[in-house]
Structures are given as structure tokens and as C-alpha cells.
Amino acid sequence: MAKTLVEKIWDAHVVKREEGFPDILYIDTHLIHEVTSPQAFDGLRKRGLKLFRPQQTVATADHNVPTLNQHLPIKEELSRYQVDMLTKNCAEFGVELYGLGHRYQGIVHVIGPELGITLPGKTMVCGDSHTSTHGAFGAIAFGIGTSQVEQVFATQCLQQSKPKTMKIEVNGELGKGISAKDIILYIIAKISAAGGTGYFVEFAGSAIRSLSMEARMTVCNMSIEMGARGGLIAPDETTFEYIKGREFAPKGEKWEEALTYWKTLYSDADATFDSILTFNAADIAPMITYGTNPGMGIGIDDKIPSTSAQPTSEQLSYQKALDYMGFDDDASLIGKPIDYVFIGSCTNSRIEDLREVASFVKGKQKAADVEVWIVPGSKQVEAQAVAEGLDKIFESAGFQLREPGCSACLGMNEDKIPAGKYCVSTSNRNFEGRQGPNARTLLVSPLTAAAAAVTGKITDVRELLEA
Amino acid sequence: MKKFETLSSSVVPLPIENIDTDQIIPARFLKATTREGFGENLFRDWRYDSNNQPKQDFVLNNPTYSGKVLVAGKNFGCGSSREHAAWAIQDAGFDVVISSFFADIFKGNALNNGLLPIQVSDAFLAEIFKEVEKNTDTKLTVDLEAQTVTIDATDSQESFEINPYKKSCLINGYDDIDFVRSQIELIEAFEENKVFKFY
């Protein structure tokens, strides 16, 4: 029977299927971090259980960690306690930890791929909604709650109902200055922040196929922002090339065996999806959000849609969002002064993102009254940036290259945007208060963020590229 | 997990759409390592101003409204996977959340903690909001066994869907882990026979 990619991987992991019950799904790899795991470890202790498969569990500290002076003890008491608790729990239950100070430490969704832990055909979970990132390799990867973290600890399985499948095709060529981030912001703006709820999304089409692995990760990362549980892309030569030789990737005979299997991982030509959407890459402009959910996005040269154009039942929430952002109906965002630029997060903190920003800002200066933070996704990304001399470019442009972590994406550490300030950000969520109480977030690509950093205002990067 | 019993309660209305988990419980309050105590920071930035003074116009600060049922606009619980959102709602005294649409992960987290998410039609949701606006004491009856929610004053009723397995977990107070643990031999057999041994 013809199957979609999701069905192939899902069905290969069903331990038990019974009418009226969710499937018992085997999980190959469980990633954990300090925020959503302590209560799950506690649960194991209360039940008197060991961790069932510690060797299939990998931990890092990312959400709470400072991005300056990581060699010093964490100043904030509760953050320090949570990070210490992770260290203690990993030691007690035998989990490999890439904690602060380790050369592999970094954002959980950056280190999995770069270490070769993320592989095609795997099932992967993490107590973090952006686990969908790993789908870029053709894996079923999704975020779970803490009770489920405990369930995977105890059984290496999850009870999950098989999701519906959606295919999103993007065909054609992207314009100059347009990147993966613009693709995904465009799709979410088209189908809304709930348009993918209940689905696993397979991204396909020539525009997706031509993306690098890191760019594919950016697309899959934000699947959750349209409500989808996960997003994935069928593995191909680009995927295999990226994985080959990485620390934990299969080697030798195992590599050959893996390749043979991975090459069977695609949706059959006559497979049926529950929903299919098609977009044209040429229609995509540099994107920016103007509201308080990722579905409220426009092309940077478009005007903010008016409240009266929204369905009546949604006008109250829409107006509330514009009020929060300090924006008006029908206004243009171009030229609007901004206060902060944040380049980082599991969406856009990889070496290609940093290279793209560096090549744009080389020889330029940041605007005087804008603060610019660049937070690499991992120690390895940071080391690579330094090896390539990107740190020098950032320094002479007045950009601050910090140490790895989730940072201002969610403001759990000290990296918060002050109330009322505008932050042009390469992260994934523009929710109220996400980057700090009353902070105002505008989601964009790394290139659009770099343009705003240089001009001090919202700028159509295409004009600077053509100049 | 405590058993879910039929309840009749007044409601707290929150007619806002796309309420994300950062509104339910902001990230800076996720630093606790136990499940308790999150209720005091539920809807923190809507509830308190920057000086930690209650905002009088927010519904949780209005003594007119109380009850075990939170009623909210569509796409409730979108965003992060933090189970702390479900814990916070429960810790603040709610047993049920009603909306016309829930985000997936929130819904799963709620069910895993005995907090019942009920998805109703847009029309029924509007009807609840209208009745509560007319009379702030409006009571709803939630019968999980029959899978119905009823506006007591008008007898207007709607059925809701729930996975039969999750329903029995809620009614009996069972949790998933005990169930899956009972299948451990099957899991070990699966591991033996995996087609992809190289993971």
C-alpha cells in the first residue's frame, strides 16, 4: 500500500496498535533540557523506577543559561538551581549531559543535528515544542509535555494517536535576499497560527529541495507555529552529505546499511495526504510580523491589514494585538525605528545564519541607538564563527557576539528586552511578553535583522543588496 | 491523578483568541522543579502590572467571576509545550477549560493531568459568553460520562468528543505510565526485532 513518509516512519515504530487506544510508539532518541525534565525525574523517583534506556537519552542546558561569562557560576539563583538539578539528575540516572562548559553544549535543537544524533527515519522527542526542527532530516520529531517525558523515561515509548498528514509544496526560485525563514513566515501568514493543528506536515517542492540542511531546519523548526505537531522533509543527497562523518553518525558498514534504508524514506508517488497546499516561491517577499502571534505576518513592503477586514469574532483579539505592538491599521512598517536586534534561537543561530549576517555587515556599522545581540546556537557554532573570523566582523560592526543558549527568544535568563521596546528578532515567537514583560517582537530572517541593525529601522533588505 | 467527577460550576470567561502558553504562564516563572505553586502566576502579565499590583480590569481579579470552568476563545494553549500551563490552570482551581479549538500539545498535557479540555462549536462558545455576560453566575454542568456540557439556566446542551481511552483514564484516575509499563515485554521484543538496528 502506498504510504506517506510520515506513515512509513510511524508504522515502523508502532509497538502495539489496538482499536480505541492511541498507538504505543517507540522513541529512538529522547533529548532533554533543564526546564521540562526535573518533574519527570522526580516522577521516576516516586515510582521507584530507573530510566529504561539512558543510552538513548541526551541532555543539555540551554533555556536558562547566561550568554555572558558562562565560566562563572550562574548569578540568578533559581536558574542556577534548575541547571544544577539537571546535572544531579543526569548523574543519578546515567544520562549523557552536554552541560555548561562542555564543548558540545548548546541549544538542544542545534546540537542534535550537528553531532549526528539526529538521523533520517528516527523517532525523536523532547520537552520542547521546537523539536520539529529535527524533521528536516526526515525524522518524526515532536515536542511533548513533562508527563510524557516521564513516560519516555520509564518506557522509551509514548502513547500517541497517528496524526493526519499534510503536504506543503513550495515550488520555484526564491528572490534575492529571501531565505528559509521568509518561506516559513509566509506559509504561516497564509494558513494562520492554527492552520496546521492536528497534522504532521511534509514540506516538499523544488524550493524546499534546493535548501541547505540548516535552512531546512529553519523551515521545520516553525511547524509548531502553525499548530502542526511536526514538520519533515524527505532525506536526499543534501541530507546524507551533511550527516556523513559527524560525531555520532553511523560509520563504515553501518553507514552503508543506513544509507540503503534512508533511501527508502520518501512519500510514495500515489500516497494520499489529508491535505495538500501549494505555494510559489516567487511570491515570497522578505517577511515581518506585526502582531502577537506568528500568523500575523506580512511582506515587509505591505501594509498592516485593517481590523475591519478581520472576521467580526476576531476583531477584539486583533485590535488587542495591534494596541500591544503600538501599530495602526493600514500602516507601513518600513522606516519604523527599532531598539534591539536579536540574532539567535533554535530557528536561526547556526553557522550559515552567522555567515550570512557577517557577509552583509562586513565594513558596515550598526546604528548608534540600536543594541545588537548575536547568540550562537552552540559551542561548536561559536568556535566555527571564531575560526572563520566572523567575531572580528561583528565586533567592528558593533554587534555583540555572546555565548550559546536560548537567550532572548524567551527571556528565561537575563537577556530580556525592556518594556515597550521594539526588537527585530530571528526567533520564532512574537507572543506578548515573550522576550520580556511588554517587549514588542518583530520576527524576521537573519538578513532582514542585519539590515535593521545597520539602519536602525525596519528596512527592505533588497534595497541594500541591490545598491 | 484524581478522578474526574461530574461538576456543575460557574465560569470564568476569557473571550480572547490564540491565548498562548506564554500568556498562561510566562517563561520566567518556569524555574520551579516541582509541579505545585504555578497558579499564582497564571496569566501573570495580564493579571498584574509591572509593580505587581492586580490589574482591576482583568477577569481573574474580578470577584464577580469564579468557578472551576475556564472558558476561552479559539486556539487556546498554542505555543510552547510547557506542561506548566496545565499545572498553573489546575493549581488556580480549574478542572475544565472550554474553547472552540485547542492546540495539540496543550490538550494532551491537560488530559495527562486530569484537566479536561472541552472543544465546543463556535456557536455554543458564543452562547456561553452571551449567557455569562447576562448573568455572571451562569452555571455549566459538565458530564464526562455522557460527554455533554449544559448551560443550566437555558438547558442548552452540546456533546463533545474525547478519546475513549483518555476518557477512562480521567474517570478512573489512571495514568498512562502504569499502562505502558505493563507492556514492557512487548517493548523489549520490539527492540530485538527493529529493522533499523543502527540507531
Side-chain angles (χ1 to χ4, degrees):
Chain A
M1 199 190 95
K3 284 184 176 181
T4 64
L5 175 57
V6 168
E7 288 166 328
K8 283 183 184 176
I9 304 172
W10 190 279
D11 292 348
H13 288 82
V14 173
V15 171
K16 187 178 182 182
R17 178 169 285 164
E18 195 178 343
E19 187 61 33
F21 287 80
D23 288 344
I24 298 183
L25 189 74
Y26 191 81
I27 302 301
D28 293 311
T29 301
H30 188 190
L31 304 168
I32 64 168
H33 61 79
E34 76 276 20
V35 178
T36 56
S37 66
Q39 293 87 352
F41 279 115
D42 241 12
L44 281 189
R45 269 187 215 101
K46 282 182 187 145
R47 291 171 201 265
L49 294 175
K50 288 193 159 88
L51 211 152
F52 185 57
R53 293 291 179 248
Q55 71 280 15
Q56 286 168 246
T57 315
V58 177
T60 190
D62 56 5
H63 281 64
N64 262 307
V65 301
T67 56
L68 292 174
N69 297 315
Q70 286 187 346
H71 60 290
L72 299 176
I74 300 176
K75 278 190 227 156
E76 219 265 334
E77 190 188 344
L78 288 172
S79 295
R80 189 174 66 240
Y81 183 73
Q82 210 169 40
V83 171
D84 288 350
M85 186 65 91
L86 179 70
T87 308
K88 185 175 156 286
N89 284 331
C90 287
E92 182 182 335
F93 288 91
V95 174
E96 185 77 57
L97 168 66
Y98 302 132
L100 271 185
H102 196 288
R103 67 194 172 103
Y104 291 161
Q105 180 267 336
I107 303 174
V108 64
H109 310 309
V110 174
I111 71 168
E114 76 184 6
L115 289 172
I117 293 169
T118 304
L119 297 173
K122 268 191 173 181
T123 47
M124 301 178 71
V125 295
C126 175
D128 190 288
S129 59
H130 294 109
T131 308
S132 58
T133 311
H134 307 270
F137 291 78
I140 286 192
F142 56 94
I144 56 176
T146 297
S147 295
Q148 293 172 304
V149 170
E150 186 181 341
Q151 184 173 29
V152 179
F153 278 169
T155 65
Q156 203 58 35
C157 286
L158 268 183
Q159 276 171 299
Q160 282 287 305
S161 298
K162 197 169 172 175
K164 291 184 288 181
T165 55
M166 177 187 283
K167 178 159 81 163
I168 297 183
E169 265 190 41
V170 187
N171 293 308
E173 271 183 49
L174 291 171
K176 196 173 184 184
I178 319 287
S179 67
K181 181 65 163 288
D182 300 305
I183 298 180
I184 191 65
L185 284 173
Y186 177 83
I187 295 171
I188 301 166
K190 288 284 177 196
I191 74 171
S192 92
T197 304
Y199 293 96
F200 241 87
V201 176
E202 180 175 345
F203 296 98
S206 58
I208 300 291
R209 216 25 76 213
S210 63
L211 295 175
S212 71
M213 279 319 294
E214 296 194 358
R216 293 180 190 185
M217 287 186 236
T218 300
V219 171
C220 290
N221 171 274
M222 290 189 70
S223 306
I224 183 72
E225 308 311 337
M226 52 176 139
R229 211 47 202 288
L232 82 179
I233 296 171
D236 58 13
E237 288 304 324
T238 305
T239 320
F240 309 143
E241 192 56 38
Y242 178 95
I243 297 168
K244 196 169 188 181
R246 291 191 182 262
E247 179 82 34
F248 298 108
K251 311 254 160 40
E253 268 178 41
K254 283 188 171 172
W255 172 258
E256 296 304 324
E257 190 193 337
L259 262 190
T260 308
Y261 176 55
W262 293 345
K263 286 179 178 170
T264 68
L265 297 175
Y266 52 83
S267 289
D268 295 326
D270 46 351
T272 319
F273 289 86
D274 298 297
S275 171
I276 298 179
L277 302 172
T278 306
F279 299 102
N280 187 353
D283 295 340
I284 304 175
M287 295 292 294
I288 188 163
T289 61
Y290 58 88
T292 56
N293 73 61
M296 299 174 81
I298 49 175
I300 199 153
D301 50 356
D302 287 339
K303 291 191 164 39
I304 294 174
S306 63
T307 305
S308 60
Q310 311 304 317
T312 318
S313 67
E314 294 172 20
Q315 290 183 1
L316 184 72
S317 303
Y318 189 86
Q319 191 58 53
K320 183 175 181 292
L322 291 194
D323 289 348
Y324 180 86
M325 292 301 292
F327 293 151
D328 297 318
D329 281 358
D330 303 314
S332 170
L333 288 172
I334 298 272
K336 168 122 197 95
I338 53 117
D339 308 292
Y340 284 78
V341 172
F342 171 62
I343 296 169
S345 87
C346 55
T347 315
N348 282 123
S349 64
R350 297 178 179 84
I351 192 67
E352 286 178 10
D353 299 316
L354 270 52
R355 282 181 193 142
E356 188 174 38
V357 171
S359 85
F360 177 81
V361 303
K362 193 169 186 177
K364 298 189 179 80
Q365 273 291 314
K366 76 167 181 73
D369 41 6
V370 173
E371 187 148 345
V372 187
W373 297 338
I374 299 189
V375 181
S378 69
K379 290 309 276 185
Q380 294 206 86
V381 171
E382 182 189 24
Q384 184 66 28
V386 172
E388 295 178 18
L390 307 187
D391 55 332
K392 298 284 187 299
I393 296 172
F394 295 141
E395 196 184 334
S396 45
F399 289 22
Q400 203 181 97
L401 180 65
R402 300 167 79 113
E403 293 172 277
C406 298
S407 182
C409 173
L410 83 169
M412 269 196 88
N413 68 353
E414 300 91 332
D415 306 346
K416 292 181 178 66
I417 307 302
K421 298 292 183 190
Y422 288 98
C423 179
V424 170
S425 178
T426 68
S427 55
N428 41 57
R429 289 193 173 130
N430 52 349
F431 297 152
E432 281 185 35
R434 171 82 176 178
Q435 298 193 288
N438 289 306
R440 293 153 159 173
T441 304
L442 303 137
L443 301 177
V444 297
S445 72
L447 208 46
T448 297
V454 167
T455 61
K457 49 201 185 194
I458 296 170
T459 303
D460 187 337
V461 69
R462 291 172 297 189
E463 286 167 18
L464 298 183
L465 292 173
E466 279 151 16
Chain B
M1 204 164 81
K2 74 170 186 180
K3 292 181 184 182
F4 190 96
E5 281 159 12
T6 297
L7 66 84
S8 179
S9 168
S10 52
V11 310
V12 176
L14 206 50
I16 300 168
E17 300 189 341
N18 297 308
I19 296 177
D20 59 77
T21 53
D22 277 84
Q23 304 322 310
I24 299 171
I25 180 96
R28 62 187 191 279
F29 299 110
L30 305 184
K31 297 182 186 187
T33 51
T34 60
R35 289 173 183 242
E36 291 78 32
F38 290 102
E40 59 186 89
N41 293 315
L42 176 67
F43 297 118
R44 179 74 202 195
D45 294 334
W46 287 352
R47 217 163 134 192
Y48 300 98
D49 64 20
S50 49
N51 299 313
N52 293 323
Q53 294 307 305
K55 294 182 185 176
Q56 291 311 327
D57 56 349
F58 186 62
V59 67
L60 286 188
N61 295 324
N62 184 345
T64 317
Y65 298 99
S66 65
K68 295 179 173 180
V69 181
L70 180 66
V71 186
K74 82 172 176 201
N75 200 23
F76 186 83
C78 57
S80 134
S81 62
R82 61 189 71 160
E83 194 161 313
H84 313 64
W87 299 336
I89 293 170
Q90 222 169 14
D91 197 53
F94 296 103
D95 291 332
V96 175
V97 186
I98 295 178
S99 176
S100 56
F101 197 82
F102 287 95
D104 273 343
I105 307 183
F106 174 82
K107 192 173 175 180
N109 287 341
L111 288 167
N112 284 337
N113 286 278
L115 173 69
L116 178 63
I118 298 180
Q119 184 167 327
V120 296
S121 65
D122 286 323
F124 195 70
L125 186 71
E127 203 178 319
I128 297 174
F129 284 135
K130 205 178 88 192
E131 285 302 321
V132 176
E133 202 177 322
K134 264 198 291 190
N135 174 9
T136 57
D137 285 332
T138 294
K139 286 194 169 48
L140 298 185
T141 297
V142 174
D143 185 338
L144 176 55
E145 188 64 57
Q147 296 180 217
T148 56
V149 50
T150 312
I151 303 172
D152 289 6
T154 61
D155 265 343
S156 178
Q157 187 178 79
E158 196 168 272
S159 308
F160 61 87
E161 305 256 326
I162 183 170
N163 176 289
Y165 165 75
K166 293 312 287 186
K167 177 179 172 179
S168 80
C169 286
L170 252 64
I171 287 174
N172 297 304
Y174 296 153
D175 84 22
D176 290 347
I177 296 177
D178 296 329
F179 176 78
V180 182
R181 283 276 304 162
S182 72
Q183 313 287 315
I184 216 88
E185 283 177 14
L186 213 55
I187 297 168
E188 285 170 340
F190 175 88
E191 289 177 324
E192 279 300 304
N193 298 312
K194 272 205 294 195
V195 287
F196 31 84
K197 291 259 172 52
F198 46 85
Y199 290 151

